[in-house]
Amino acid sequence: MNRTGRSLLFILIFLLFWVTVRPFTDLRDPSVLLAEEQGNILQQLVSLSLFAASGLYLLKNWQIALKMLSPLLILLLGWQFVTVFTSDYSAIAFRRYIFSITAIVTAMAWVILPENTQHFQKMIKYLSLFILLLSYFGVIFMPEISIHNMAEVLELVNAGSWRGHFAHKNIAGPAMIVLIIYNLYLLRKEDFLIPAINIILATIFLIYSNNKTSIGLVLIALLVAQIIRTVRILPLQLLAFFIPIILMAALTIGTVLNFSLYDLVSSAISDPSFTGRTDIWKFAFEQLRAHPWIGFGFDTFWNMSNLVNGGYDIETWAARAGHAHNGYINLALSSGAIGVILFAIWMLFSPLLDYNRSQKNGNDPALATMYLRIWVFMMLYANLESPFFAPRGQVWFSLLAAVLALRLHARVKIR
């Protein structure tokens, strides 16, 4: 594939995840309250087309592609395939599993499509600007579907928060963080103007999105990543990463498991429920008692008809939450404790080992640090949101690309 073809495929993959085929979702439409058991045909066709193109490209570059694949990821995907058939909705679980695989394959191709770092820098710079301009276009010219408002059928508390072309402010927030991190990497003396504009635009949008999770975590994530980059010694890097991760987990989901932690958080912040998340976590833990090891089947718990129409919302509104607002609990509901254990080993340990190894092989340290920052942010963010295995979203795609790229950086000399 020539440079033009590679550029086109890189751009189309990026737009598939960052814009999707249905941008500017109208949250005033009552249909958003219905069970989500039918897929979007156009999204599926586009996803499969880009999956096919990505697969062909990876086959031609199979030696590099294999270096991105972790045995742990393959084992995790194998277990998730098992949970497809333990689900009450096996047909839906199978379809969603297949599209989860397409997301992984297209992310693999996306990472290696640029000819070199200069090619990547040029494309990501202008793609970042395009995404930001599209978001601001929505806010300015279509505010009724780009800014949360009181006419929406869900979460009226979000009224006034910007979301642009994204489906929710909690997607817009981390998306802006990723764009900021991309452009911090691009912010160099010889190419200053557009990355600086991108950072300013993304920061303003982040503030007006009112996504407190992203706003509160971005500086912590950048600090943790900087410490990891500086110390270079693996045991110290592990400490620098896991201390804030464990601390945040204890102060969030730990509060529904331990009264002392709840009292501690209550004395420190005004909203110890984390905007109602503790109700969702309690509900999720209660449901997990029925399927602790295998979960409810791949991506077939939230928004399924037996949950939406099962009368649970009489007992608690949390049954209509849409997701667990915690990546690890969400994964447990989907794949059980076994899935969480496999995922934790792959996602929490391997990327840091890969980054440490990449520091010693002469690859561009700034590029590796860019991916490290995205990974650290997402791991912290996952304590309050559900970024994992969401095959249609820019958050999971960005995390996937970062983890795959870090593995590649540890094993291949990047041009």
Side-chain angles (χ1 to χ4, degrees):
M1 187 181 293
N2 60 26
R3 182 184 177 96
T4 301
R6 294 165 74 163
S7 300
L8 180 61
L9 185 54
F10 181 93
I11 292 167
L12 289 175
I13 290 172
F14 186 87
L15 294 179
L16 171 65
F17 289 98
W18 279 80
V19 179
T20 76
V21 300
R22 266 180 46 184
F24 300 108
T25 303
D26 190 349
L27 298 181
R28 300 168 299 174
D29 186 346
S31 66
V32 301
L33 295 171
L34 302 177
E36 296 179 8
E37 297 177 6
Q38 300 299 319
N40 182 293
I41 298 299
L42 180 58
Q43 182 84 21
Q44 292 172 0
L45 289 174
V46 174
S47 297
L48 288 173
S49 298
L50 292 181
F51 164 72
S54 299
L56 290 173
Y57 183 76
L58 290 173
L59 283 175
K60 291 180 181 179
N61 298 273
W62 64 270
Q63 290 178 313
I64 296 177
L66 284 178
K67 293 183 183 297
M68 280 188 284
L69 278 179
S70 164
L72 287 167
L73 173 58
I74 294 171
L75 192 59
L76 172 62
L77 293 175
W79 170 250
Q80 289 180 328
F81 185 69
V82 172
T83 68
V84 165
F85 300 99
T86 62
S87 170
D88 291 337
Y89 301 89
S90 291
I92 296 172
F94 182 73
R95 185 181 72 231
R96 293 179 176 180
Y97 177 82
I98 292 300
F99 280 96
S100 179
I101 297 296
T102 68
I104 294 170
V105 170
T106 50
M108 288 175 65
W110 190 78
V111 167
I112 64 172
L113 275 166
E115 287 187 345
N116 48 44
T117 54
Q118 291 74 28
H119 189 200
F120 170 78
Q121 290 165 5
K122 182 177 181 180
M123 289 191 290
I124 206 67
K125 173 177 63 177
Y126 290 110
L127 284 170
S128 297
L129 182 60
F130 172 78
I131 293 298
L132 288 163
L133 292 178
L134 182 63
S135 295
Y136 276 94
F137 173 84
V139 167
I140 295 169
F141 296 104
M142 297 185 294
E144 67 281 0
I145 55 173
S146 300
I147 300 175
H148 288 288
N149 56 76
M150 296 300 291
E152 294 177 357
V153 296
L154 283 172
E155 299 179 296
L156 301 184
V157 69
N158 293 330
S161 300
W162 290 9
R163 61 184 179 95
H165 69 284
F166 301 101
H168 196 278
K169 75 179 184 72
N170 289 346
I171 299 175
M176 292 302 128
I177 298 296
V178 173
L179 293 180
I180 289 170
I181 292 173
Y182 280 156
N183 286 275
L184 284 173
Y185 161 68
L186 297 173
L187 199 62
R188 300 178 179 184
K189 291 182 180 179
E190 64 272 16
D191 188 19
F192 181 86
L193 183 59
I194 293 179
I197 291 172
N198 288 340
I199 291 170
I200 293 169
L201 290 175
T203 301
I204 294 171
F205 203 98
L206 172 65
I207 292 169
Y208 280 95
S209 74
N210 293 316
N211 182 221
K212 298 181 182 66
T213 302
S214 296
I215 295 170
L217 290 177
V218 59
L219 292 180
I220 297 172
L222 292 176
L223 177 61
V224 170
Q226 186 58 40
I227 293 172
I228 292 171
R229 179 181 184 177
T230 302
V231 297
R232 300 182 72 89
I233 301 171
L234 182 58
L236 294 179
Q237 290 177 323
L238 288 167
L239 283 174
F241 174 68
F242 277 104
I243 287 174
I245 290 291
I246 293 171
L247 182 62
M248 188 168 180
L251 297 178
T252 53
I253 59 173
T255 62
V256 303
L257 301 173
N258 184 286
F259 288 117
S260 297
L261 288 172
Y262 178 80
D263 290 340
L264 175 64
V265 172
S266 297
S267 66
I269 63 176
S270 60
D271 182 16
S273 75
F274 300 100
T275 323
R277 285 173 172 82
T278 53
D279 291 335
I280 301 171
W281 300 337
K282 290 174 184 176
F283 175 73
F285 281 129
E286 289 171 2
Q287 298 303 307
L288 275 170
R289 291 176 183 174
H291 303 280
W293 291 104
I294 62 174
F296 288 83
F298 186 81
D299 199 15
T300 50
F301 178 75
W302 300 106
N303 295 317
M304 295 291 100
S305 57
N306 63 356
L307 184 67
V308 174
N309 304 320
Y312 292 99
D313 52 349
I314 297 174
E315 302 173 13
T316 174
W317 68 272
R320 288 189 175 272
H323 61 92
H325 285 275
N326 179 285
Y328 308 99
I329 296 176
N330 218 54
L331 190 63
L333 289 165
S334 176
S335 306
I338 295 173
V340 172
I341 292 168
L342 293 172
F343 179 83
I345 298 171
W346 169 58
M347 183 60 76
L348 289 174
F349 285 91
S350 296
L352 189 53
L353 300 179
D354 291 335
Y355 179 75
N356 178 267
R357 185 174 174 180
S358 76
Q359 288 183 301
K360 303 167 185 174
N361 66 5
N363 278 328
D364 181 2
L367 184 58
T369 299
M370 179 193 80
Y371 288 121
L372 175 75
R373 287 169 170 170
I374 293 172
W375 172 69
V376 170
F377 170 78
M378 292 297 183
M379 293 303 97
L380 291 167
Y381 181 78
N383 283 284
L384 290 166
E385 295 297 340
S386 306
F388 308 140
F389 292 98
R392 296 185 299 275
Q394 52 288 127
V395 177
W396 174 235
F397 174 77
S398 300
L399 175 58
L400 261 179
V403 171
L404 293 168
L406 284 172
R407 185 169 178 83
L408 194 65
H409 269 247
R411 290 162 178 79
V412 175
K413 181 65 178 178
I414 307 298
R415 292 171 292 173

